[in-house]
Amino acid sequence: RLKLIGSGDRLASFGPEVKQMAELISRNQARFGGNPPIGPVGAYIKLKDQRWSKAVGNALGRFASYFLVRKNADKDTCM
């Protein structure tokens, strides 16, 4: 099981839309059959050495703010 790193304030660093999406998913978990989307992906990444933060940020780019879903229907629910 993945563990979210940080607090809700950390989600703010991904922008207001991402924070709002995370809050909506949290409030509506039942709509996802007990398997809500995971994200934002970047919130689950913890570097042991901060020297790599720029390289990891560049590699992930916009994908750091994406959510992972288990089913296409979940993607449709999020949109």
Side-chain angles (χ1 to χ4, degrees):
R1 179 120 180 114
L2 293 174
K3 181 180 176 187
L4 182 65
I5 299 168
S7 67
D9 293 333
R10 179 177 167 111
L11 294 177
S13 67
F14 294 96
E17 297 88 5
V18 172
K19 185 176 180 183
Q20 182 180 11
M21 176 64 77
E23 291 169 351
L24 284 169
I25 290 169
S26 180
R27 286 194 306 264
N28 294 287
Q29 289 189 24
R31 296 181 74 182
F32 301 101
N35 294 308
I38 298 169
V41 172
Y44 290 86
I45 297 172
K46 183 175 182 180
L47 299 176
K48 290 184 179 183
D49 187 336
Q50 292 302 312
R51 292 182 297 168
W52 293 100
S53 63
K54 187 172 183 178
V56 171
N58 287 336
L60 288 176
R62 65 178 186 224
F63 297 108
S65 64
Y66 283 14
F67 287 76
L68 305 175
V69 296
R70 289 177 172 81
K71 301 180 288 186
N72 280 340
D74 292 344
K75 177 188 70 150
D76 297 338
T77 299
C78 289
M79 299 186 110

Coordinates of all heavy atoms in Angstrom, one line a residue:
R1 N 0.8 -1.2 0.0 CA 0.0 0.0 0.0 C 0.9 1.2 0.0 O 1.8 1.3 0.8 CB -0.9 0.0 1.2 CG -1.8 1.1 1.4 CD -3.2 0.7 1.4 NE -4.1 1.8 1.5 CZ -4.9 2.2 0.6 NH1 -5.0 1.6 -0.5 NH2 -5.7 3.3 0.7
L2 N 0.6 2.2 -0.8 CA 1.3 3.4 -0.9 C 1.0 4.3 0.2 O -0.2 4.4 0.7 CB 1.0 4.1 -2.2 CG 1.5 3.4 -3.5 CD1 1.0 4.2 -4.7 CD2 3.0 3.3 -3.5
K3 N 1.9 5.1 0.7 CA 1.7 6.0 1.8 C 1.9 7.5 1.3 O 3.0 7.8 0.7 CB 2.7 5.7 2.9 CG 2.5 6.6 4.1 CD 3.5 6.3 5.2 CE 3.4 7.3 6.3 NZ 4.5 7.1 7.3
L4 N 0.9 8.3 1.5 CA 1.0 9.7 1.1 C 2.0 10.4 2.0 O 2.0 10.2 3.3 CB -0.3 10.4 1.3 CG -0.4 11.8 0.9 CD1 -0.1 12.0 -0.6 CD2 -1.8 12.4 1.2
I5 N 2.9 11.1 1.5 CA 4.0 11.8 2.2 C 3.6 13.2 2.5 O 3.2 13.9 1.5 CB 5.3 11.8 1.5 CG1 5.7 10.3 1.2 CG2 6.4 12.5 2.2 CD1 6.9 10.2 0.3
G6 N 3.6 13.7 3.7 CA 3.3 15.0 4.0 C 1.8 15.2 4.4 O 1.1 14.3 4.6
S7 N 1.4 16.5 4.4 CA 0.1 16.8 4.8 C -0.7 17.4 3.7 O -0.2 17.5 2.6 CB 0.1 17.8 6.0 OG 0.6 19.0 5.5
G8 N -2.0 17.8 4.0 CA -2.8 18.4 3.0 C -2.2 19.7 2.4 O -2.4 20.0 1.3
D9 N -1.4 20.4 3.2 CA -0.7 21.6 2.8 C 0.3 21.2 1.7 O 0.6 22.0 0.8 CB 0.0 22.2 3.9 CG -0.9 22.8 4.9 OD1 -2.1 23.1 4.6 OD2 -0.5 22.9 6.1
R10 N 0.9 20.0 1.7 CA 1.8 19.6 0.7 C 1.1 19.5 -0.7 O 1.7 19.8 -1.7 CB 2.5 18.3 1.1 CG 3.5 17.8 0.0 CD 4.1 16.5 0.5 NE 4.8 15.9 -0.7 CZ 6.1 15.9 -0.8 NH1 6.9 16.3 0.1 NH2 6.7 15.3 -1.8
L11 N -0.1 19.1 -0.6 CA -0.9 19.0 -1.9 C -1.1 20.4 -2.5 O -1.2 20.4 -3.8 CB -2.3 18.4 -1.6 CG -2.3 17.0 -1.1 CD1 -3.7 16.5 -0.8 CD2 -1.7 16.0 -2.1
A12 N -1.0 21.4 -1.8 CA -1.2 22.8 -2.3 C 0.0 23.1 -3.3 O -0.2 23.8 -4.2 CB -1.2 23.8 -1.2
S13 N 1.1 22.4 -3.1 CA 2.3 22.7 -4.0 C 2.0 22.2 -5.4 O 2.7 22.6 -6.3 CB 3.6 22.1 -3.4 OG 3.5 20.7 -3.4
F14 N 1.0 21.3 -5.6 CA 0.7 20.8 -6.9 C -0.3 21.7 -7.6 O -0.7 21.5 -8.7 CB 0.2 19.4 -6.8 CG 1.2 18.4 -6.3 CD1 1.3 18.1 -5.0 CD2 2.1 17.9 -7.2 CE1 2.2 17.2 -4.6 CE2 3.1 17.0 -6.8 CZ 3.1 16.6 -5.5
G15 N -0.8 22.7 -6.9 CA -1.8 23.6 -7.5 C -3.2 23.4 -6.9 O -3.5 22.4 -6.4
P16 N -4.0 24.4 -7.0 CA -5.3 24.4 -6.4 C -6.2 23.3 -7.0 O -7.0 22.7 -6.3 CB -5.9 25.8 -6.6 CG -5.1 26.4 -7.7 CD -3.8 25.7 -7.6
E17 N -6.1 23.0 -8.3 CA -6.9 22.0 -8.9 C -6.6 20.6 -8.4 O -7.5 19.8 -8.2 CB -6.8 22.0 -10.5 CG -7.2 23.3 -11.1 CD -6.1 24.4 -11.2 OE1 -4.9 24.1 -10.8 OE2 -6.4 25.5 -11.6
V18 N -5.3 20.3 -8.2 CA -4.9 19.0 -7.7 C -5.3 18.8 -6.3 O -5.9 17.8 -5.9 CB -3.4 18.8 -7.9 CG1 -2.9 17.6 -7.2 CG2 -3.0 18.8 -9.3
K19 N -5.2 19.9 -5.5 CA -5.6 19.8 -4.1 C -7.1 19.6 -4.0 O -7.6 18.7 -3.3 CB -5.2 21.0 -3.3 CG -5.6 21.0 -1.9 CD -5.1 22.2 -1.1 CE -5.5 22.0 0.4 NZ -5.1 23.2 1.1
Q20 N -7.9 20.3 -4.9 CA -9.3 20.1 -4.9 C -9.7 18.7 -5.3 O -10.6 18.1 -4.8 CB -10.0 21.1 -5.8 CG -11.5 21.1 -5.9 CD -12.1 22.1 -6.8 OE1 -11.4 22.8 -7.6 NE2 -13.4 22.3 -6.7
M21 N -9.0 18.2 -6.3 CA -9.3 16.8 -6.8 C -9.1 15.8 -5.7 O -9.9 14.9 -5.5 CB -8.4 16.5 -8.0 CG -8.6 15.0 -8.5 SD -10.3 14.6 -9.1 CE -10.2 15.4 -10.7
A22 N -7.9 15.9 -5.0 CA -7.6 15.0 -3.9 C -8.7 15.1 -2.8 O -9.1 14.0 -2.2 CB -6.3 15.4 -3.3
E23 N -9.2 16.3 -2.5 CA -10.3 16.4 -1.5 C -11.6 15.8 -2.0 O -12.3 15.1 -1.2 CB -10.4 17.9 -1.2 CG -9.3 18.5 -0.4 CD -9.3 20.0 -0.3 OE1 -10.1 20.7 -1.0 OE2 -8.4 20.5 0.4
L24 N -11.9 16.0 -3.2 CA -13.1 15.4 -3.8 C -13.1 13.9 -3.8 O -14.0 13.2 -3.4 CB -13.4 15.9 -5.2 CG -13.9 17.3 -5.4 CD1 -13.8 17.7 -6.8 CD2 -15.3 17.4 -4.9
I25 N -11.9 13.3 -4.1 CA -11.7 11.9 -4.1 C -11.9 11.4 -2.7 O -12.5 10.4 -2.4 CB -10.4 11.5 -4.7 CG1 -10.4 11.7 -6.2 CG2 -10.0 10.0 -4.4 CD1 -9.1 11.6 -6.9
S26 N -11.3 12.1 -1.7 CA -11.3 11.7 -0.3 C -12.8 11.6 0.2 O -13.2 10.7 0.9 CB -10.5 12.6 0.5 OG -10.5 12.2 1.9
R27 N -13.6 12.6 -0.2 CA -15.0 12.7 0.2 C -15.9 11.7 -0.5 O -17.0 11.4 0.0 CB -15.5 14.1 0.0 CG -15.0 15.2 1.0 CD -15.8 16.4 1.0 NE -15.9 17.0 -0.3 CZ -15.1 18.0 -0.8 NH1 -14.1 18.5 -0.1 NH2 -15.3 18.5 -2.0
N28 N -15.5 11.2 -1.6 CA -16.3 10.3 -2.4 C -15.7 9.0 -2.7 O -15.9 8.4 -3.7 CB -16.6 11.0 -3.8 CG -17.4 12.3 -3.6 OD1 -18.6 12.2 -3.3 ND2 -16.8 13.4 -3.7
Q29 N -15.0 8.4 -1.7 CA -14.3 7.2 -1.8 C -15.3 6.0 -2.2 O -14.9 5.1 -2.9 CB -13.5 6.8 -0.6 CG -12.3 7.7 -0.4 CD -11.4 7.2 0.7 OE1 -11.4 6.1 1.1 NE2 -10.6 8.1 1.2
A30 N -16.5 6.1 -1.7 CA -17.5 5.0 -2.0 C -17.8 4.8 -3.5 O -18.1 3.8 -3.9 CB -18.8 5.2 -1.2
R31 N -17.6 5.9 -4.2 CA -17.9 5.9 -5.7 C -16.9 5.1 -6.4 O -17.1 4.7 -7.6 CB -18.0 7.3 -6.2 CG -19.1 8.1 -5.7 CD -19.2 9.5 -6.2 NE -19.7 9.4 -7.6 CZ -19.8 10.4 -8.4 NH1 -19.4 11.6 -8.0 NH2 -20.3 10.3 -9.6
F32 N -15.8 4.7 -5.8 CA -14.7 4.0 -6.4 C -14.6 2.6 -5.9 O -13.6 1.9 -6.1 CB -13.4 4.7 -6.2 CG -13.4 6.1 -6.7 CD1 -13.5 7.2 -5.9 CD2 -13.2 6.4 -8.1 CE1 -13.5 8.5 -6.4 CE2 -13.2 7.7 -8.6 CZ -13.4 8.7 -7.7
G33 N -15.7 2.1 -5.3 CA -15.7 0.7 -4.9 C -14.6 0.3 -3.9 O -14.1 -0.8 -3.9
G34 N -14.2 1.3 -3.1 CA -13.2 1.0 -2.0 C -11.8 1.1 -2.5 O -10.8 0.8 -1.8
N35 N -11.6 1.4 -3.8 CA -10.3 1.6 -4.4 C -10.2 2.9 -5.1 O -10.2 3.0 -6.3 CB -10.0 0.5 -5.4 CG -9.9 -0.9 -4.8 OD1 -9.2 -1.1 -3.9 ND2 -10.7 -1.8 -5.3
P36 N -10.1 4.0 -4.3 CA -10.0 5.3 -4.9 C -8.7 5.6 -5.6 O -7.7 4.9 -5.4 CB -10.1 6.3 -3.6 CG -9.6 5.5 -2.5 CD -10.0 4.0 -2.8
P37 N -8.7 6.5 -6.5 CA -7.5 6.9 -7.3 C -6.4 7.3 -6.3 O -6.6 7.7 -5.2 CB -7.9 8.1 -8.1 CG -9.4 7.9 -8.3 CD -9.9 7.3 -7.0
I38 N -5.2 7.1 -6.7 CA -4.0 7.4 -6.0 C -3.4 8.6 -6.6 O -3.1 8.7 -7.8 CB -3.0 6.2 -6.0 CG1 -3.7 5.0 -5.4 CG2 -1.7 6.5 -5.3 CD1 -2.9 3.7 -5.6
G39 N -3.1 9.6 -5.7 CA -2.4 10.7 -6.2 C -2.5 11.9 -5.3 O -3.2 11.9 -4.3
P40 N -1.8 13.0 -5.8 CA -1.0 13.0 -7.0 C 0.3 12.2 -6.8 O 0.8 12.0 -5.7 CB -0.7 14.5 -7.1 CG -0.8 15.0 -5.7 CD -1.9 14.2 -5.0
V41 N 0.7 11.7 -7.9 CA 1.8 10.7 -7.9 C 3.0 11.4 -7.1 O 3.7 10.7 -6.3 CB 2.2 10.3 -9.3 CG1 3.5 9.5 -9.3 CG2 1.1 9.5 -9.9
G42 N 3.3 12.6 -7.4 CA 4.5 13.3 -6.8 C 4.4 13.3 -5.3 O 5.5 13.4 -4.6
A43 N 3.2 13.2 -4.7 CA 3.1 13.3 -3.2 C 3.5 12.0 -2.6 O 3.7 11.9 -1.4 CB 1.6 13.6 -2.9
Y44 N 3.8 10.9 -3.4 CA 4.2 9.6 -2.9 C 5.7 9.4 -3.0 O 6.2 8.3 -2.8 CB 3.4 8.5 -3.6 CG 2.0 8.5 -3.2 CD1 1.0 9.3 -3.8 CD2 1.5 7.7 -2.1 CE1 -0.3 9.3 -3.5 CE2 0.2 7.7 -1.8 CZ -0.7 8.5 -2.4 OH -2.0 8.5 -2.1
I45 N 6.4 10.4 -3.5 CA 7.8 10.3 -3.8 C 8.6 11.0 -2.7 O 8.4 12.2 -2.5 CB 8.2 10.8 -5.2 CG1 7.5 10.0 -6.2 CG2 9.7 10.8 -5.4 CD1 7.6 10.5 -7.6
K46 N 9.5 10.3 -2.1 CA 10.4 10.9 -1.1 C 11.8 10.6 -1.4 O 12.2 9.4 -1.6 CB 10.0 10.4 0.3 CG 10.9 11.0 1.4 CD 10.4 10.5 2.8 CE 11.3 11.2 3.8 NZ 10.8 10.8 5.2
L47 N 12.6 11.6 -1.6 CA 14.0 11.4 -2.0 C 14.9 11.3 -0.7 O 14.7 12.1 0.2 CB 14.5 12.6 -2.8 CG 13.7 12.8 -4.1 CD1 14.3 14.1 -4.8 CD2 13.9 11.6 -5.0
K48 N 15.8 10.4 -0.8 CA 16.7 10.3 0.3 C 17.8 11.3 0.2 O 18.4 11.8 1.2 CB 17.4 8.9 0.3 CG 16.4 7.8 0.7 CD 17.2 6.4 0.8 CE 16.2 5.3 1.2 NZ 16.9 4.1 1.3
D49 N 18.1 11.8 -1.0 CA 19.1 12.8 -1.2 C 18.5 13.9 -2.1 O 18.1 13.7 -3.2 CB 20.3 12.1 -2.0 CG 21.5 13.0 -2.1 OD1 21.3 14.3 -2.1 OD2 22.6 12.5 -2.3
Q50 N 18.3 15.1 -1.5 CA 17.7 16.2 -2.2 C 18.4 16.7 -3.4 O 17.9 17.4 -4.2 CB 17.4 17.3 -1.2 CG 16.4 17.0 -0.1 CD 15.1 16.6 -0.7 OE1 14.5 17.3 -1.6 NE2 14.5 15.5 -0.3
R51 N 19.7 16.2 -3.6 CA 20.4 16.6 -4.8 C 19.7 16.2 -6.0 O 19.9 16.7 -7.1 CB 21.9 16.1 -4.7 CG 22.7 16.7 -3.7 CD 24.1 16.1 -3.8 NE 24.1 14.7 -3.5 CZ 25.1 13.8 -3.7 NH1 26.2 14.2 -4.2 NH2 24.9 12.5 -3.4
W52 N 18.9 15.2 -5.9 CA 18.2 14.6 -7.1 C 16.9 15.2 -7.3 O 16.2 14.9 -8.3 CB 18.0 13.1 -6.9 CG 19.3 12.4 -6.9 CD1 20.0 11.9 -5.8 CD2 20.1 12.0 -8.0 NE1 21.2 11.3 -6.2 CE2 21.2 11.3 -7.5 CE3 19.9 12.2 -9.4 CZ2 22.2 10.9 -8.4 CZ3 20.9 11.7 -10.2 CH2 22.0 11.0 -9.7
S53 N 16.5 16.2 -6.5 CA 15.1 16.8 -6.6 C 14.9 17.4 -8.0 O 13.8 17.2 -8.6 CB 14.8 17.7 -5.5 OG 15.7 18.8 -5.6
K54 N 15.8 18.1 -8.5 CA 15.6 18.8 -9.8 C 15.5 17.8 -10.9 O 14.7 17.9 -11.8 CB 16.8 19.8 -10.1 CG 16.5 20.6 -11.3 CD 17.6 21.7 -11.5 CE 17.3 22.5 -12.7 NZ 18.2 23.6 -12.9
A55 N 16.4 16.8 -10.9 CA 16.4 15.7 -11.9 C 15.1 14.9 -11.9 O 14.5 14.7 -12.9 CB 17.6 14.8 -11.8
V56 N 14.6 14.6 -10.7 CA 13.4 13.8 -10.6 C 12.2 14.7 -11.0 O 11.3 14.2 -11.7 CB 13.2 13.3 -9.1 CG1 11.8 12.7 -8.9 CG2 14.2 12.3 -8.8
G57 N 12.2 16.0 -10.6 CA 11.2 16.9 -11.0 C 11.1 17.0 -12.5 O 10.0 17.0 -13.1
N58 N 12.3 17.1 -13.2 CA 12.3 17.3 -14.6 C 11.8 16.0 -15.3 O 11.1 16.0 -16.3 CB 13.7 17.6 -15.1 CG 14.1 19.0 -14.8 OD1 13.2 19.9 -14.7 ND2 15.4 19.3 -14.7
A59 N 12.2 14.8 -14.7 CA 11.8 13.5 -15.3 C 10.3 13.3 -15.2 O 9.7 12.9 -16.2 CB 12.6 12.4 -14.7
L60 N 9.7 13.7 -14.1 CA 8.3 13.5 -13.9 C 7.5 14.5 -14.6 O 6.4 14.3 -15.1 CB 8.0 13.5 -12.4 CG 8.4 12.3 -11.6 CD1 8.1 12.5 -10.1 CD2 7.7 11.0 -12.1
G61 N 8.0 15.8 -14.6 CA 7.2 16.9 -15.2 C 5.8 16.9 -14.7 O 5.5 16.8 -13.5
R62 N 4.9 17.1 -15.6 CA 3.5 17.2 -15.2 C 2.9 15.9 -14.6 O 1.9 16.0 -14.0 CB 2.7 17.7 -16.4 CG 2.6 16.6 -17.5 CD 1.8 17.1 -18.7 NE 1.7 16.0 -19.6 CZ 1.8 16.1 -20.9 NH1 2.0 17.3 -21.4 NH2 1.7 15.1 -21.7
F63 N 3.6 14.8 -14.9 CA 3.0 13.5 -14.3 C 3.0 13.5 -12.8 O 2.3 12.7 -12.2 CB 3.8 12.3 -14.9 CG 3.7 12.2 -16.4 CD1 4.8 12.6 -17.2 CD2 2.5 11.8 -17.0 CE1 4.7 12.5 -18.6 CE2 2.4 11.8 -18.4 CZ 3.5 12.1 -19.2
A64 N 3.8 14.4 -12.2 CA 3.8 14.4 -10.7 C 2.5 14.8 -10.1 O 2.1 14.4 -9.0 CB 4.9 15.4 -10.2
S65 N 1.7 15.5 -10.9 CA 0.4 15.9 -10.4 C -0.8 15.0 -10.9 O -1.9 15.2 -10.6 CB 0.1 17.3 -10.9 OG 0.0 17.4 -12.3
Y66 N -0.4 13.9 -11.6 CA -1.5 13.0 -12.0 C -1.9 12.0 -10.9 O -1.2 11.8 -10.0 CB -0.9 12.1 -13.2 CG -0.8 12.8 -14.5 CD1 -0.9 14.2 -14.6 CD2 -0.6 12.1 -15.7 CE1 -0.9 14.8 -15.9 CE2 -0.5 12.7 -16.9 CZ -0.7 14.1 -17.0 OH -0.6 14.7 -18.2
F67 N -3.1 11.5 -11.1 CA -3.7 10.5 -10.3 C -3.8 9.2 -11.0 O -4.0 9.2 -12.2 CB -5.1 10.9 -9.8 CG -5.2 12.1 -8.9 CD1 -4.9 13.4 -9.3 CD2 -5.4 11.8 -7.5 CE1 -5.0 14.4 -8.4 CE2 -5.4 12.9 -6.6 CZ -5.2 14.2 -7.0
L68 N -3.6 8.1 -10.3 CA -3.6 6.8 -10.9 C -5.0 6.1 -10.5 O -5.4 6.2 -9.4 CB -2.5 5.9 -10.3 CG -1.1 6.4 -10.5 CD1 -0.1 5.5 -9.8 CD2 -0.7 6.6 -11.9
V69 N -5.6 5.5 -11.5 CA -6.9 4.9 -11.3 C -6.8 3.4 -11.7 O -5.9 3.0 -12.4 CB -8.0 5.5 -12.2 CG1 -8.3 6.9 -11.7 CG2 -7.7 5.4 -13.7
R70 N -7.7 2.6 -11.1 CA -7.6 1.1 -11.4 C -8.5 0.7 -12.6 O -8.2 -0.3 -13.2 CB -8.0 0.4 -10.1 CG -7.0 0.5 -9.0 CD -7.5 -0.2 -7.7 NE -6.5 -0.3 -6.7 CZ -6.1 0.7 -5.9 NH1 -6.7 1.9 -6.0 NH2 -5.2 0.6 -5.0
K71 N -9.5 1.5 -12.8 CA -10.4 1.2 -13.9 C -10.7 2.4 -14.7 O -10.7 3.5 -14.2 CB -11.7 0.6 -13.4 CG -11.6 -0.6 -12.5 CD -13.0 -1.1 -12.0 CE -13.4 -0.1 -10.9 NZ -14.7 -0.5 -10.3
N72 N -11.0 2.2 -16.0 CA -11.4 3.3 -16.9 C -12.6 4.1 -16.3 O -12.7 5.3 -16.5 CB -11.6 2.9 -18.3 CG -10.3 2.7 -19.1 OD1 -9.3 3.2 -18.7 ND2 -10.4 1.9 -20.1
A73 N -13.5 3.3 -15.7 CA -14.7 4.0 -15.2 C -14.3 5.0 -14.1 O -15.0 6.0 -14.0 CB -15.6 2.9 -14.6
D74 N -13.3 4.7 -13.3 CA -12.8 5.6 -12.3 C -12.3 6.9 -12.9 O -12.5 8.0 -12.4 CB -11.8 5.0 -11.4 CG -12.3 3.8 -10.6 OD1 -13.6 3.8 -10.4 OD2 -11.5 3.1 -10.0
K75 N -11.6 6.7 -14.1 CA -11.1 7.9 -14.8 C -12.3 8.8 -15.2 O -12.3 10.0 -15.0 CB -10.3 7.5 -16.0 CG -9.8 8.7 -16.8 CD -9.2 8.2 -18.1 CE -10.3 7.7 -19.0 NZ -10.2 7.8 -20.3
D76 N -13.3 8.2 -15.7 CA -14.5 8.9 -16.1 C -15.2 9.6 -15.0 O -15.7 10.7 -15.1 CB -15.5 8.0 -16.9 CG -14.9 7.4 -18.1 OD1 -14.0 8.0 -18.7 OD2 -15.4 6.3 -18.6
T77 N -15.2 8.9 -13.8 CA -15.8 9.5 -12.6 C -15.0 10.8 -12.2 O -15.6 11.8 -11.8 CB -15.8 8.5 -11.5 OG1 -16.6 7.4 -11.9 CG2 -16.4 9.1 -10.2
C78 N -13.7 10.7 -12.3 CA -12.9 11.9 -11.9 C -13.0 13.1 -12.9 O -12.7 14.2 -12.5 CB -11.4 11.5 -11.9 SG -11.1 10.4 -10.5
M79 N -13.4 12.8 -14.1 CA -13.4 13.9 -15.1 C -14.8 14.5 -15.0 O -15.2 15.4 -14.8 CB -13.2 13.4 -16.5 CG -11.8 12.8 -16.6 SD -11.4 12.3 -18.2 CE -10.2 13.5 -18.6

